[in-house]
Amino acid sequence: MIILFDLDGTLIDSTEAILESFHNSFAVHGFSVPDDAQIKALIGHPLDVMYRELGVDEALVLDFVTTYKEHYREISTQKTKLLPNAKEAVEAAAAFASLGIVTTKTGKYSRILMEHFGLMDKFEVLVGREHVQNPKPHAEPILKALQSFDTKNKEIWMIGDTQMDLLSAKNAGVNSIGVLSGYEEEKSLKKFSEIIFNDSLDAICYLKSRKTAYFTV
């Protein structure tokens, strides 16, 4: 079995770091800071998309993204935490499956975060925003990750907290599980996956039971 995890809202909570970095970027460039609710509603999208949706002119988007990343790099490990049961989920999953991370966050900083939490060694691949041309919900990030695995006769699952995670899985032709530990409600996730759990550990327990049932039939 191959299990791919999203990060924000699935394994980690970096809301504080994200909001602070957005606040800083708008302040540095002399613009009014959007409401936190507006920013949080866009988490999961690539940064350039978020800034466009927040009204930043196209000519300035890359400057805002650069400023964001400079600040985020300085604060990310201090202002990001693992979600409840996330560590247990990853450790449990690594005992019976091959694991990867597929995120719209910058891969470089995502790797640093997971090393900070002592979990990066559980994953065989991490695909971030800079590794693909087309981010989620496009299939490319998942297909890119799967290049690191032998997928023959393997069940493949994507676990994520947003529609984009589930749509990316659908577009890539793999199974998906939605979790309610992040930024979207069950009603919106159920439009794209019938399998919804409270958090990543519940999802992993379900997948472990599937694998056990498969081998005992």
Side-chain angles (χ1 to χ4, degrees), residues 128-186:
R129 177 64 185 93
E130 72 271 37
H131 300 131
V132 295
Q133 181 175 352
N134 303 292
K136 294 181 287 188
H138 198 278
E140 184 183 350
I142 289 178
L143 297 179
K144 175 84 172 180
L146 293 178
Q147 292 174 7
S148 297
F149 301 96
D150 175 9
T151 60
K152 186 176 181 180
N153 298 324
K154 299 282 182 64
E155 272 197 348
I156 303 169
W157 292 83
M158 176 74 202
I159 300 175
D161 69 300
T162 70
Q163 296 181 29
M164 289 184 298
D165 300 314
L166 307 183
L167 272 169
S168 184
K170 181 180 179 181
N171 291 333
V174 305
N175 304 297
S176 66
I177 296 177
V179 290
L180 301 175
S181 50
Y183 299 100
E184 289 198 41
E185 298 179 351
E186 183 173 9

Side-chain angles (χ1 to χ4, degrees), residues 170-216:
K170 181 180 179 181
N171 291 333
V174 305
N175 304 297
S176 66
I177 296 177
V179 290
L180 301 175
S181 50
Y183 299 100
E184 289 198 41
E185 298 179 351
E186 183 173 9
K187 182 178 179 180
S188 64
L189 293 180
K190 277 203 166 179
K191 296 176 183 176
F192 304 98
S193 178
E194 288 299 316
I195 309 174
I196 311 291
F197 290 103
N198 285 327
D199 62 22
S200 55
L201 183 58
D202 286 347
I204 294 306
C205 289
Y206 166 77
L207 293 179
K208 184 177 180 180
S209 70
R210 281 180 61 92
K211 189 175 179 83
T212 301
Y214 175 82
F215 281 111
T216 55

Side-chain angles (χ1 to χ4, degrees), residues 3-128:
I3 303 173
L4 305 176
F5 290 88
D6 172 55
L7 279 183
D8 277 314
T10 302
L11 293 179
I12 65 173
D13 180 0
S14 58
T15 305
E16 183 179 1
I18 291 170
L19 291 177
E20 182 177 317
S21 297
F22 267 96
H23 295 173
N24 177 72
S25 66
F26 276 90
V28 165
H29 292 284
F31 285 74
S32 298
V33 177
D35 292 338
D36 286 352
Q38 290 178 273
I39 300 171
K40 288 196 286 188
L42 293 167
I43 292 177
H45 291 275
L47 288 171
D48 56 329
V49 173
M50 294 178 73
Y51 279 112
R52 290 188 192 98
E53 290 295 318
L54 291 169
V56 174
D57 186 86
E58 181 66 36
L60 297 175
V61 165
L62 290 182
D63 292 335
F64 273 74
V65 169
T66 298
T67 303
Y68 174 100
K69 288 183 176 180
E70 289 172 350
H71 190 75
Y72 184 85
R73 181 179 65 236
E74 298 296 325
I75 66 167
S76 62
T77 55
Q78 293 78 29
K79 299 197 173 184
T80 300
K81 57 189 177 183
L82 286 173
L83 286 166
N85 300 321
K87 182 177 182 180
E88 293 83 354
V90 171
E91 291 175 342
F96 69 88
S98 299
L99 310 183
I101 293 171
V102 179
T103 178
T104 53
K105 295 175 77 68
T106 302
K108 177 182 177 181
Y109 305 141
S110 298
R111 183 174 292 274
I112 290 170
L113 277 173
M114 298 313 285
E115 289 172 349
H116 172 73
F117 292 126
L119 291 175
M120 193 60 229
D121 63 327
K122 303 295 184 185
F123 297 94
E124 296 184 29
V125 65
L126 188 156
V127 174

